[in-house]
Coordinates of all heavy atoms in Angstrom, one line a residue:
A425 N -34.3 -35.1 -45.9 CA -34.8 -36.2 -45.2 C -36.1 -35.7 -44.6 O -37.1 -36.6 -44.5 CB -33.7 -36.7 -44.2
E426 N -36.2 -34.6 -44.0 CA -37.3 -34.1 -43.2 C -38.4 -33.9 -44.2 O -39.7 -34.3 -43.8 CB -37.0 -32.8 -42.5 CG -36.2 -32.9 -41.4 CD -35.6 -31.6 -40.9 OE1 -35.5 -30.7 -41.5 OE2 -35.1 -31.5 -39.7
Y427 N -38.2 -33.5 -45.5 CA -39.3 -33.4 -46.5 C -39.9 -34.7 -46.8 O -41.1 -34.9 -46.9 CB -38.7 -32.7 -47.6 CG -39.6 -32.8 -48.9 CD1 -40.7 -32.0 -49.0 CD2 -39.4 -33.7 -50.0 CE1 -41.6 -32.0 -50.2 CE2 -40.2 -33.9 -51.0 CZ -41.3 -33.0 -51.1 OH -42.1 -33.1 -52.3
L428 N -39.0 -35.7 -47.1 CA -39.4 -37.0 -47.4 C -40.2 -37.7 -46.4 O -41.2 -38.4 -46.5 CB -38.3 -38.0 -47.9 CG -37.6 -37.5 -49.3 CD1 -36.3 -38.3 -49.4 CD2 -38.5 -37.5 -50.4
A429 N -39.7 -37.5 -45.0 CA -40.3 -38.2 -43.9 C -41.7 -37.5 -43.5 O -42.7 -38.3 -43.4 CB -39.3 -38.1 -42.8
Y430 N -41.6 -36.2 -43.3 CA -42.8 -35.6 -42.6 C -43.8 -35.1 -43.6 O -45.1 -34.8 -43.1 CB -42.2 -34.5 -41.8 CG -41.3 -35.0 -40.7 CD1 -40.1 -34.1 -40.4 CD2 -41.4 -36.1 -39.9 CE1 -39.3 -34.4 -39.6 CE2 -40.6 -36.4 -39.1 CZ -39.3 -35.6 -38.7 OH -38.4 -36.1 -38.0
E431 N -43.4 -34.9 -44.9 CA -44.4 -34.5 -45.8 C -44.8 -35.6 -47.0 O -46.0 -35.7 -47.4 CB -43.8 -33.3 -46.6 CG -43.7 -32.1 -45.7 CD -43.4 -30.8 -46.5 OE1 -44.1 -30.7 -47.6 OE2 -42.9 -29.9 -45.9
K432 N -44.0 -36.7 -47.0 CA -44.3 -37.7 -48.0 C -44.4 -39.0 -47.2 O -44.6 -40.1 -48.0 CB -43.1 -37.8 -49.0 CG -42.9 -36.6 -49.9 CD -44.3 -36.3 -50.6 CE -44.2 -34.9 -51.4 NZ -45.5 -34.6 -52.1
G433 N -44.4 -39.0 -45.9 CA -44.6 -40.3 -45.2 C -43.6 -41.3 -45.3 O -43.9 -42.5 -45.1
M434 N -42.4 -41.1 -45.6 CA -41.3 -42.1 -45.8 C -40.5 -42.4 -44.5 O -40.4 -41.4 -43.7 CB -40.4 -41.7 -47.0 CG -41.2 -41.5 -48.3 SD -40.1 -41.1 -49.6 CE -39.2 -42.5 -50.0
H435 N -40.0 -43.5 -44.3 CA -39.0 -43.8 -43.3 C -37.7 -43.5 -44.0 O -37.2 -44.1 -44.9 CB -39.1 -45.2 -42.8 CG -40.5 -45.6 -42.3 ND1 -41.1 -44.8 -41.4 CD2 -41.3 -46.6 -42.5 CE1 -42.2 -45.4 -41.1 NE2 -42.4 -46.6 -41.7
V436 N -36.9 -42.5 -43.3 CA -35.7 -42.1 -43.9 C -34.6 -42.4 -43.0 O -34.5 -42.0 -41.8 CB -35.7 -40.6 -44.3 CG1 -34.5 -40.2 -45.0 CG2 -36.9 -40.2 -45.0
L437 N -33.5 -43.0 -43.6 CA -32.2 -43.2 -42.8 C -31.2 -42.3 -43.3 O -30.9 -42.3 -44.6 CB -31.8 -44.7 -43.0 CG -30.4 -45.1 -42.4 CD1 -30.5 -44.8 -40.8 CD2 -29.9 -46.5 -42.7
V438 N -30.6 -41.4 -42.5 CA -29.6 -40.5 -42.9 C -28.3 -40.9 -42.5 O -28.0 -41.2 -41.3 CB -29.9 -39.0 -42.3 CG1 -29.0 -38.0 -42.8 CG2 -31.3 -38.6 -42.7
I439 N -27.3 -41.1 -43.4 CA -26.0 -41.5 -43.1 C -25.0 -40.4 -43.5 O -25.1 -39.9 -44.6 CB -25.6 -42.8 -43.8 CG1 -26.6 -44.1 -43.6 CG2 -24.1 -43.2 -43.6 CD1 -26.3 -45.3 -44.4
M440 N -24.3 -39.8 -42.5 CA -23.4 -38.8 -42.6 C -22.0 -39.1 -42.4 O -21.7 -39.6 -41.3 CB -23.9 -37.6 -41.8 CG -25.3 -37.1 -42.1 SD -25.8 -35.6 -41.1 CE -25.9 -36.3 -39.4
T441 N -21.1 -39.0 -43.3 CA -19.6 -39.4 -43.1 C -18.9 -38.4 -43.8 O -19.1 -38.0 -45.0 CB -19.5 -40.7 -43.6 OG1 -18.1 -41.1 -43.3 CG2 -19.6 -41.0 -45.1
D442 N -17.9 -37.7 -43.2 CA -17.4 -38.0 -42.0 C -17.6 -36.6 -41.1 O -17.3 -35.6 -41.6 CB -15.8 -38.2 -42.1 CG -15.1 -38.5 -40.9 OD1 -15.6 -38.2 -39.7 OD2 -14.0 -38.9 -41.0
M443 N -18.3 -36.7 -40.0 CA -18.5 -35.6 -39.1 C -17.4 -34.9 -38.5 O -17.4 -33.7 -38.3 CB -19.4 -36.0 -38.0 CG -20.9 -36.4 -38.4 SD -21.8 -35.3 -39.3 CE -21.9 -33.8 -38.1
T444 N -16.2 -35.6 -38.6 CA -15.0 -35.0 -38.2 C -14.6 -33.9 -39.1 O -14.1 -32.8 -38.7 CB -13.7 -36.0 -38.0 OG1 -14.2 -37.0 -37.0 CG2 -12.4 -35.4 -37.6
N445 N -14.8 -34.2 -40.3 CA -14.4 -33.1 -41.4 C -15.3 -31.9 -41.3 O -14.9 -30.7 -41.4 CB -14.6 -33.8 -42.8 CG -13.6 -34.7 -43.1 OD1 -12.5 -34.8 -42.6 ND2 -13.9 -35.7 -44.0
Y446 N -16.6 -32.1 -41.0 CA -17.6 -30.9 -40.6 C -17.1 -30.2 -39.5 O -17.0 -28.9 -39.4 CB -19.0 -31.6 -40.2 CG -19.8 -30.5 -39.6 CD1 -20.6 -29.8 -40.5 CD2 -20.1 -30.3 -38.4 CE1 -21.5 -28.9 -40.1 CE2 -21.1 -29.4 -37.9 CZ -21.7 -28.6 -38.8 OH -22.6 -27.8 -38.3
C447 N -16.5 -30.8 -38.3 CA -16.1 -30.1 -37.1 C -14.8 -29.4 -37.5 O -14.6 -28.3 -36.9 CB -15.8 -31.0 -36.1 SG -17.4 -31.8 -35.4
E448 N -13.9 -29.9 -38.4 CA -12.8 -29.2 -38.8 C -13.1 -27.9 -39.6 O -12.4 -26.9 -39.5 CB -11.9 -30.2 -39.6 CG -11.2 -31.4 -38.9 CD -10.2 -31.0 -37.8 OE1 -9.8 -29.9 -37.8 OE2 -10.0 -31.8 -37.0
A449 N -14.1 -28.1 -40.4 CA -14.6 -26.8 -41.1 C -15.0 -25.8 -40.2 O -14.7 -24.6 -40.3 CB -15.6 -27.2 -42.2
L450 N -15.8 -26.2 -39.1 CA -16.2 -25.3 -38.1 C -15.0 -24.5 -37.4 O -15.0 -23.3 -37.1 CB -17.0 -25.9 -37.1 CG -18.5 -26.1 -37.2 CD1 -19.1 -26.9 -36.0 CD2 -19.2 -24.9 -37.6
R451 N -13.9 -25.3 -37.1 CA -12.9 -24.8 -36.5 C -12.0 -23.8 -37.4 O -11.6 -22.8 -36.9 CB -11.8 -25.9 -36.1 CG -10.6 -25.5 -35.4 CD -9.9 -26.5 -34.6 NE -9.3 -27.5 -35.4 CZ -8.5 -28.6 -35.0 NH1 -8.2 -28.6 -33.7 NH2 -8.0 -29.4 -35.8
E452 N -12.0 -24.1 -38.6 CA -11.4 -23.3 -39.5 C -12.0 -21.9 -39.7 O -11.4 -20.8 -39.7 CB -11.4 -23.9 -41.0 CG -10.6 -23.1 -42.1 CD -10.6 -23.9 -43.4 OE1 -10.5 -25.1 -43.4 OE2 -10.6 -23.2 -44.5
I453 N -13.4 -21.9 -39.8 CA -14.2 -20.7 -39.8 C -14.0 -19.9 -38.5 O -13.9 -18.7 -38.4 CB -15.6 -20.9 -40.0 CG1 -15.8 -21.6 -41.5 CG2 -16.4 -19.7 -40.1 CD1 -15.2 -20.9 -42.6
S454 N -14.0 -20.6 -37.4 CA -13.9 -19.9 -36.1 C -12.6 -19.2 -36.0 O -12.5 -18.1 -35.5 CB -14.0 -21.0 -34.9 OG -13.8 -20.4 -33.8
A455 N -11.5 -19.9 -36.5 CA -10.2 -19.3 -36.4 C -10.1 -18.1 -37.3 O -9.5 -17.0 -36.9 CB -9.1 -20.3 -36.8
A456 N -10.7 -18.2 -38.5 CA -10.7 -17.0 -39.4 C -11.4 -15.8 -38.8 O -11.1 -14.6 -39.0 CB -11.5 -17.4 -40.7
R457 N -12.5 -16.1 -38.0 CA -13.4 -15.1 -37.2 C -12.6 -14.6 -36.0 O -13.1 -13.6 -35.3 CB -14.7 -15.6 -36.9 CG -15.5 -15.9 -38.2 CD -16.8 -16.6 -37.6 NE -17.7 -15.6 -36.9 CZ -18.9 -15.9 -36.6 NH1 -19.4 -17.1 -36.6 NH2 -19.6 -15.0 -35.9
R458 N -11.4 -15.2 -35.7 CA -10.6 -14.7 -34.6 C -11.4 -15.0 -33.4 O -11.3 -14.1 -32.3 CB -10.1 -13.4 -34.7 CG -9.3 -13.1 -35.9 CD -8.7 -11.7 -35.9 NE -7.7 -11.4 -37.0 CZ -8.1 -10.9 -38.1 NH1 -9.5 -10.6 -38.3 NH2 -7.4 -10.7 -39.1
E459 N -12.2 -16.2 -33.2 CA -13.0 -16.4 -32.0 C -12.1 -17.0 -30.9 O -11.0 -17.7 -31.3 CB -14.1 -17.3 -32.3 CG -15.2 -16.5 -33.1 CD -16.3 -17.6 -33.6 OE1 -16.0 -18.8 -33.6 OE2 -17.4 -17.2 -33.8
V460 N -12.4 -16.8 -29.7 CA -11.5 -17.4 -28.7 C -11.8 -19.0 -28.7 O -12.9 -19.4 -28.6 CB -12.0 -17.0 -27.2 CG1 -11.3 -17.7 -26.1 CG2 -11.9 -15.5 -27.2
P461 N -10.7 -19.8 -28.9 CA -10.9 -21.2 -29.1 C -11.4 -22.0 -27.8 O -11.0 -21.6 -26.7 CB -9.6 -21.6 -29.5 CG -8.6 -20.7 -29.1 CD -9.3 -19.5 -29.0
G462 N -12.0 -23.1 -27.9 CA -12.3 -24.0 -26.8 C -11.3 -25.0 -26.7 O -10.2 -25.0 -27.1
R463 N -11.7 -26.3 -26.4 CA -11.0 -27.5 -26.3 C -10.4 -27.8 -27.6 O -11.0 -27.9 -28.6 CB -11.8 -28.8 -25.9 CG -12.4 -28.6 -24.4 CD -13.4 -29.7 -24.2 NE -12.9 -31.0 -24.3 CZ -13.7 -32.1 -24.5 NH1 -15.0 -32.0 -24.2 NH2 -13.2 -33.3 -24.6
R464 N -9.1 -28.0 -27.6 CA -8.3 -28.4 -28.8 C -8.6 -27.5 -29.9 O -8.4 -27.8 -31.1 CB -8.6 -29.8 -29.2 CG -8.3 -30.9 -28.2 CD -7.8 -32.2 -28.7 NE -7.8 -33.1 -27.6 CZ -7.4 -34.4 -27.8 NH1 -7.1 -34.8 -29.0 NH2 -7.3 -35.3 -26.9
G465 N -8.8 -26.2 -29.7 CA -9.0 -25.2 -30.8 C -10.4 -25.2 -31.5 O -10.6 -24.3 -32.2
Y466 N -11.2 -26.1 -31.1 CA -12.6 -26.1 -31.6 C -13.5 -25.0 -31.0 O -13.2 -24.6 -29.8 CB -13.3 -27.4 -31.4 CG -12.7 -28.6 -32.2 CD1 -11.7 -29.4 -31.7 CD2 -13.0 -28.8 -33.5 CE1 -11.1 -30.4 -32.4 CE2 -12.4 -29.8 -34.3 CZ -11.5 -30.6 -33.7 OH -10.8 -31.5 -34.4
P467 N -14.4 -24.5 -31.7 CA -15.2 -23.3 -31.1 C -16.0 -23.8 -29.9 O -16.4 -25.0 -29.8 CB -16.1 -22.9 -32.2 CG -16.2 -24.1 -33.2 CD -14.9 -24.7 -33.1
G468 N -16.1 -22.8 -28.9 CA -16.9 -23.2 -27.7 C -18.4 -23.6 -27.9 O -18.9 -24.2 -27.0
Y469 N -18.9 -23.2 -29.1 CA -20.3 -23.7 -29.4 C -20.3 -24.9 -30.2 O -21.3 -25.2 -30.8 CB -20.9 -22.6 -30.2 CG -20.2 -22.0 -31.4 CD1 -20.2 -22.6 -32.6 CD2 -19.4 -20.8 -31.4 CE1 -19.4 -22.3 -33.8 CE2 -18.7 -20.4 -32.4 CZ -18.7 -21.0 -33.5 OH -17.9 -20.7 -34.7
L470 N -19.4 -25.7 -30.2 CA -19.3 -27.0 -30.9 C -20.5 -27.9 -30.5 O -21.2 -28.5 -31.5 CB -18.0 -27.8 -30.8 CG -17.8 -29.1 -31.6 CD1 -17.9 -28.8 -33.0 CD2 -16.5 -29.8 -31.2
Y471 N -20.7 -28.0 -29.2 CA -21.8 -28.9 -28.7 C -23.1 -28.4 -29.2 O -23.9 -29.1 -29.8 CB -21.7 -28.8 -27.3 CG -22.9 -29.7 -26.5 CD1 -22.7 -30.9 -26.2 CD2 -24.1 -29.1 -26.3 CE1 -23.8 -31.7 -25.7 CE2 -25.1 -29.7 -25.6 CZ -24.9 -31.1 -25.3 OH -26.0 -31.9 -24.8

């Protein structure tokens, strides 16, 4: 999107679904790394 927008001058709409699955993947990797979990087991750096 950034390439098309800022280098090719296009208006780009980015639709991402489902961000919950992305956050679950973060939690899975965090657990495998044995990091101290934050709220509901998600990593403290989720924000």
Side-chain angles (χ1 to χ4, degrees):
E426 288 167 342
Y427 166 76
L428 294 174
Y430 304 137
E431 298 193 28
K432 299 303 175 181
M434 301 175 75
H435 301 312
V436 185
L437 177 65
V438 182
I439 301 174
M440 301 185 290
T441 180
D442 180 346
M443 291 304 296
T444 299
N445 294 333
Y446 171 83
C447 295
E448 294 293 344
L450 277 182
R451 181 163 68 172
E452 182 178 324
I453 300 303
S454 176
R457 294 175 66 179
R458 299 184 179 93
E459 294 175 336
V460 177
R463 291 167 58 193
R464 301 210 187 182
Y466 293 94
Y469 49 80
L470 180 61
Y471 177 91

